[in-house]
Amino acid sequence: MFLDKLMSPKTAVNQNLDIVMSNYQTNKPGDDNNRTSDHRNREEFEETPTWAAVVTVLGYAILSALGWLRDFLRHIVVFTRSKQISYECFYTRNLYTRIRDVFNQPIASVAGAKVHVMERVSDDYNWTFKFSGKKIPSINLGSYNYLGFAENQGPCSEQAIKSIETYAVTTCSTRHELGHQRYVKELESLMAEYLNVEDCIAFGMGFATNALNIPTLAGKGDLILSDKLNHVSLILGARLSGATIRTFNHNDMKDLEAHLRKAIISGQPRTCRPWKKILIIVEGVYSMEGSLCKLPEIIELKKKYKAYLYVDEAHSIGAIGSRGRGVVDYWKVDPNDIEIHMGTFTKSFGSAGGYIAGKKNIIDYIRVSSHSACYSSSMSAPIVQQIISALSIIMGRDGTNDGQKRIQQLACNVRYFRRQLVDMGFIVYGNNNSPVVPVMLFMPAKIAAVNREMLKRDCAVVTVGFPATLLTESRVRFCISAGHTKEMLDHALKAMDEVGHLVSLRYSKKNPHHRWVELDHADYDKEYTS
Amino acid sequence: MNVGIAQGERNPNSSWLNSRGVWLTYIILLFVLHFILLSIPYITTPVAWTLTTTIHNICSFYLFHLVKGAPWETSDQGRARRFTFWEQIDNGVQWTGTRKFLQILPIILFFIASFYTKYDRTHFVINLATMLLAVVPKFPIFFGVRLFDINRY
C-alpha cells in the first residue's frame, strides 16, 4: 500500500509480538500458574491505528502552534507571570502546565489498596494550587504495591517499629564502617535463600544499586548490550561505567544475536581487540510496557556466545512466578545461569532498597569495591525488618500460608483484570501475566481526561505521555495489587468502561468492542475463583 | 533526569519525527494549508501553489534551521542547546529516512508548483529561491555551520 510506505519506520514496540512459549513451561500437576495453554504466555503489542497516530500528531501540532502564539504574545505584551521566556521550558509552560493537576497528586493516607487523594483547585489554570480540604478516598491503581505489603498495620509494621527500639533508626554510617549490622546480614542470607543463589548484598536505594554497581562490574574495554527500553538507572550505570554501550530492539532476540555476532567479529571500536567481557542487561518486567523478558532464549544466546547476563527484577520479584521468585521462577530456568540477579525491595516488599545476588565470589567483589558500599549510608533497621517480615510471610516461614495466598490472589487479579479490559476492546500492552497493565490512550488531551474522569469515579490512576513515552504512545498504567478485592476490580473496570465510552478509548482492531454489561461475567467469575 | 520514563532517550527531539504517523500528518497539514489558501477568493491556483511552497519553506527554515535547542529539559543537560532542530534529528546521523523525506519534500513541492504556475518566470524565481532556502541548509556539508556567525549562540 502506498500509504504504508509513507508511514515512518515502525518503532520497536509496535511490532506485533505473538509469542507462544509453551515449550518452556513444564507441566506440574496442581500448579496454579503453569498451565500450558497458549493464552497464558501471550505478549501483545497491538499496532497503533493510523488515524489515531495522525490525530495524535495533529493534536501536538495544534498545541505547539498555540504555544508559539502564546509565547509571542508574552513577548510583545509582558504578562505578570512569565518574565523569563526560555525555549527549554516551552513544553512545561505550554503543554505540561495545562494538565498539571493530573500529575504529582498529593495523597493523605497510606498508599495501599485504597488511598486518599487530596483534592486541589486552581484559579489560574494550574499555575498555582490550593487544597480544597476534601480527601477523595479512591482505589489505588498507581502504586507498585504488588503483594499488598504497603500497609501501616499488621505483623510487618509492628516488627519494623519494634526493631527501632532494638537497633535505633540508623547507624549514619556506610557499609564498610558501622553499617554492617546483624539485621542486614540476616536479610542478605534470607534473600539468597529466597532466590536460590549463593550470596546476596543489599543496598539502601534501588536506583543506586543499578547506577553504582554496574560501574563496578563493567569498565573500559567491555561491551554492554542493553535493551532499548531499559530503566534510566541501568542506563546511568552503563554510562558511568565507561564501557561501550549498544542497544538492541526491545525483546528482539534476532537483533541481540546480530549485535553479539557483530561485536565478537569486529572487536573493540578502534583497535579491533577482543572485548574483555560482554554484559547483557535486561529487565524482568518492563514497567512501561508490561512485557516480560524472554529469559530462556537470552540464556541460550548467552551460553552460545559466552556473554554474561544481568537481570533487573525490580518489578518482577515477588509478583511473577508461581512461588513469587521472579522471572527465574516464571520461566523455570536455573538461577546459576544468570550471573547477576538484581532487584528492588520497593515494589513487592513494601520497603526501600535494592539487592544484587549471585555467586559468592562476585558478591564478595562487589562488597569490597562497590561505590555504594563505600560511600552511601547503609540500610536502616526498620526498613530491613519490614523486608525480613515480608520475606518470611512470602516464604511461609511465619507458619501461615498468607504469602502463597497473596501470590495467588495477585495472579487471579491480574488475569481477571487484563482479560476483561482486552475483551472490552481496549489496546492493552504486555504479557498476560504481568501485573503492570498499560492501556493506550494516544492523544494528549485524553491523558488529562482519563485521569480526571477516573478520579471522579474514585479510581486513582497514573497516566503518562510524551516525552516520558514515545510521541504517539501515551498510556494509562494500572498496577494491580494482591490487596485489591474482586469488588474493587469490578468498580475499576466499570469506571474504565464508562470513561472508555466517554473518551472513546476502544481502539482495538483485533478484539471486538463490548461494554462492560455485555460481557459474560459468569465466565470471568468462574475463572477468578479457580 | 526523568526517572520512570519508558525510554532512555537523551533528547526526544531526535526521534519523535520517526514516530508512526508523523510523515502522513506533515503531508496532511501541508494540504490543509493549501486548501485554506485555495478557499480565499482572490487567490488563483498558481498563486495559491506558490504561496503554499513559500509559506512551507519559510516556516520549515525557521523551525528547522533557526530555532536551537529542544523545548524540553533533556536528560543530557542541554548538550543540544547550540544545535538546530535539523542537526538534532537522529542525533546527527545523516541520510536517515526522516532526513531524506524532509529533504525531498521541498523539491517535490517545487515541481508541483512549477507545473501549476505554468513555468511563469516570476513564480519560478520565487519558488526556486525558497526551495534553495529550504534544501541547501539540509546538506551534510552545512552541519553545524553558521554563516557569518548568525545564530551562533
Side-chain angles (χ1 to χ4, degrees), chain A residues 6-9 48 50 53-54 57-58 68 87-88 90-91 229 231-232 235 239 288 466-472, chain B residues 1-8 10 12 16 18-20 22-25 28-29 63 67-73:
Chain A
L6 278 178
M7 294 305 136
S8 49
T48 314
T50 315
V54 169
V57 181
L58 272 177
W68 281 103
Y87 189 48
E88 267 181 352
F90 179 90
Y91 172 79
L229 298 180
H231 190 253
V232 165
I235 297 174
R239 284 193 201 146
M288 270 298 166
F466 188 69
T469 61
L470 295 174
L471 182 73
T472 47
Chain B
M1 202 145 208
N2 281 327
V3 197
I5 61 177
Q7 38 170 2
R10 275 189 254 208
W16 72 264
N18 292 329
S19 305
R20 191 177 163 75
V22 172
W23 295 4
L24 185 60
T25 311
I28 287 177
L29 279 174
L63 284 173
V67 173
K68 295 198 301 283
W72 308 279
E73 288 169 18

Side-chain angles (χ1 to χ4, degrees), chain A residues 86 103 271 407:
Chain A
S86 83
F103 303 121
T271 56
I407 295 171

